[in-house]
Amino acid sequence: MMETNQFVAIGLVVAILIGVTAVFFAAGDPDGLESTAIVILGEKDLFGPTPEDADPEAVGHEGSFEYEAPMPDYSMGEEGGKMGEVIAVVVGIILALLIVFGVGKAVAASKH
């Protein structure tokens, strides 16, 4: 029977492989989170065009939307390419694993 540590290690490797592979198939269009941020900030209607697609005279703005992101488009500077996306996926997977383990330990400790 497989040990728990072995199971977790294999699961982590599989998750990273899937995540890194997905980076190369991901669409370049704004994702749901980015689109939702634009809607919440009032720069776009829920079902309307994005600020970049909108007619500036019809909506009353220049048709551009900017906000500061800690890692814009998962890039690492001008020549970062896909490497920033790969790093973001790997770091995200590891952080999620650590959070799950932390919550699991806290729940287990509270039951004793």
Side-chain angles (χ1 to χ4, degrees):
M1 189 149 134
M2 190 181 311
E3 293 288 324
T4 303
N5 291 341
Q6 250 183 330
F7 181 75
V8 170
I10 291 170
L12 181 62
V13 169
V14 169
I16 289 173
L17 285 174
I18 291 171
V20 169
T21 303
V23 165
F24 297 98
F25 294 104
D29 296 331
D31 62 10
L33 181 62
E34 189 173 4
S35 182
T36 302
I38 294 170
V39 171
I40 289 173
L41 292 173
E43 295 291 327
K44 166 186 179 309
D45 291 329
L46 185 59
F47 297 106
T50 63
E52 291 82 12
D53 297 335
D55 178 13
E57 293 161 19
V59 293
H61 61 75
E62 276 69 48
S64 65
F65 174 75
E66 293 184 26
Y67 61 94
E68 289 186 38
M71 197 173 172
D73 294 327
Y74 306 108
S75 65
M76 297 178 62
E78 294 292 320
E79 54 280 331
K82 293 284 184 186
M83 186 52 96
E85 295 176 35
V86 169
I87 290 172
V89 165
V90 171
V91 169
I93 289 169
I94 292 170
L95 284 175
L97 180 69
L98 292 174
I99 289 169
V100 168
F101 272 128
V103 169
K105 292 237 182 231
V107 168
S110 70
K111 289 185 177 183
H112 290 325

